[in-house]
Amino acid sequence: MRRIAVLTSGGDAPGMNAAIRAVVRTGIEKGWDVFGIRHGYAGLIAGNFVSLGARDVGGIIQQGGTMLGSARCPEFKTEGGRLKALRTLHQRDIEALVVIGGNGSQIGAYALSQMDFPVIGVASTIDNDLYGTEISIGVDTALDVALEAIDRLKVTASSHQRAFLVEVMGRNCGYLALMAGVAGGAEAIIIPEVETDPEAVAAELCAAYERGKPHALVVVAEGARYNAAGLARYFQKHRERLGFELRVTTLGHVQRGGAPGAFDRLLASRLGAAAIEHLARGEHGVLMGLLKGEIVATPLAEVVANQKPLDLRLLELARVLAK
Ligand code: ADP
Ligand code: F6P
């Protein structure tokens, strides 16, 4: 292996830069030429390559986002788009590609590997919905950002004896909401994986006041059937009967832009370096992830065929601890 390329794809995640740095410097250590591809699969199709030396990835380990840029690229979902991508890789004599990204990005990585091109994935998405890793790069930092907001909302909620609702990201996965709810001490948690009746949420909040709590907090995942907009509408419509208002905060992209914390920097450094070690052994078509504290390679075929389970026992833990 002499010439490899790396790209970041999908939603950016804190720690992507640390992963790029690890890929580049471990690759250079092996004596390889490493190229960065700008703006994910869109840059791959367009041939937007840049040579990366050790100094080019200096000073980025502590920065959020991705120095290479990221993109959603619908064209890569088509066979024509992937054939163009393959052509640019062959034209530049690239022998392997490292894809740093989430669920959709790894489906793309698998599709490329099915075209006989050596690809290796690095698990990175704040959604934590990727099979083959217990935690992806960016999740820990995104959770910290959500928690900081939740803690602040609780302060003002307590001063005014109010009910607050916070919507967190996660696409169709409730992981961020569940963890932010447990760690933030929420009175109710709403996730896509569990059907929730708004009346039951209202009852939870009333019960919290009756127990003498100065505030009531709901954490909702953006992908839930009743997300922030849906619940706000419902509570507004039934305001008279329910007897209280719900103040709504949607955190949105603020969760993605944080500077990576220690956990994400370490995870990204380990996964990026492990991707290169695997390529050096001639292994590819796998996703590098963290399972039981160890860096593990899971075949991309398995990653794309499976849904990552969510530990719903934490909902019960949250209920008990909110007493
Ligand atoms: P993430 O990787 O964060 O989950 P997306 O789901 O938007 O983000 O996927 C990122 C990119 O991966 C997409 O814009 C597309 O280029 C590629 N991708 C997603 N799904 C597929 C697919 N089914 N086949 C090929 N490429 C895909
Ligand atoms: O996949 C990461 C994520 O932040 C999801 O949580 C969210 O649904 C989505 O990306 C938002 O995408 P965009 O940045 O394209 O609006």
Side-chain angles (χ1 to χ4, degrees):
M1 192 81 62
R2 309 216 60 87
R3 287 162 71 87
I4 66 158
V6 55
L7 61 79
T8 48
S9 166
D12 67 343
M16 276 184 161
N17 276 327
I20 296 169
R21 173 179 176 269
V23 166
V24 170
R25 291 193 175 163
T26 312
I28 289 170
E29 175 79 9
K30 301 271 176 219
W32 302 348
D33 293 332
V34 186
F35 295 83
I37 299 169
R38 293 198 196 279
H39 309 301
Y41 291 125
L44 177 56
I45 290 172
N48 197 346
F49 286 59
V50 54
S51 172
L52 292 177
R55 294 283 70 72
D56 297 316
V57 291
I60 64 169
I61 193 169
Q62 74 277 25
Q63 287 174 8
T66 158
M67 67 167 287
L68 289 174
S70 191
R72 316 264 186 206
C73 173
E75 193 182 357
F76 195 74
K77 292 186 181 180
T78 67
E79 201 183 351
R82 290 196 295 277
L83 282 170
K84 277 193 212 166
L86 203 57
R87 243 189 331 266
T88 60
L89 287 163
H90 287 318
Q91 277 163 359
R92 285 165 179 77
D93 293 325
I94 302 293
E95 290 155 80
L97 174 69
V98 180
V99 173
I100 302 170
N103 231 335
S105 305
Q106 303 307 338
I107 296 174
Y110 178 60
L112 200 57
S113 74
Q114 286 295 92
M115 297 165 98
D116 274 340
F117 193 84
V119 186
I120 195 154
V122 171
S124 179
T125 165
I126 66 160
D127 299 337
N128 211 25
D129 57 353
L130 201 44
Y131 187 89
T133 191
E134 276 152 13
I135 191 152
S136 309
I137 297 167
V139 174
D140 188 67
T141 305
L143 255 180
D144 273 346
V145 173
L147 280 176
E148 193 185 334
I150 286 170
D151 290 347
R152 289 177 185 205
L153 287 170
K154 269 182 136 174
V155 170
T156 174
S158 299
S159 306
H160 291 267
Q161 295 244 311
R162 274 175 176 163
F164 269 81
L165 182 139
V166 186
E167 182 182 278
V168 299
M169 277 188 163
R171 204 178 279 184
N172 300 315
C173 175
Y175 182 92
L176 275 182
L178 183 53
M179 297 304 156
V182 173
E187 277 64 43
I189 300 172
I190 303 175
I191 53 176
E193 291 82 355
V194 177
E195 187 65 32
T196 304
D197 176 7
E199 285 297 321
V201 177
E204 269 313 333
L205 299 182
C206 288
Y209 276 115
E210 278 158 18
R211 290 198 299 276
K213 288 202 165 192
H215 58 71
L217 179 79
V218 186
V219 178
V220 61
E222 63 173 351
R225 185 159 82 90
Y226 278 100
N227 58 9
L231 279 171
R233 260 195 312 276
Y234 189 92
F235 273 73
Q236 184 60 30
K237 189 169 164 198
H238 300 280
R239 191 176 151 191
E240 296 291 311
R241 179 172 56 82
L242 295 174
F244 64 92
E245 289 176 65
L246 200 56
R247 293 285 201 280
V248 177
T249 302
T250 299
L251 291 185
H253 291 80
V254 73
Q255 289 153 103
R256 277 213 324 237
F263 183 89
D264 280 323
R265 294 186 204 187
L266 289 168
L267 180 63
S269 300
R270 292 175 74 195
L271 293 183
I276 298 301
E277 294 300 341
H278 271 68
L279 282 178
R281 291 200 293 271
E283 294 164 13
H284 48 80
V286 293
L287 174 81
M288 304 312 305
L290 188 76
L291 294 173
K292 297 193 175 127
E294 298 293 330
I295 305 296
V296 174
T298 304
L300 284 169
E302 205 180 308
V303 170
V304 302
N306 286 285
Q307 200 165 353
K308 187 181 161 104
L310 192 59
D311 186 355
L312 295 178
R313 290 171 305 182
L314 286 168
L315 273 179
E316 177 57 12
L317 176 67
R319 192 190 64 75
V320 172
L321 298 186
K323 291 287 177 208

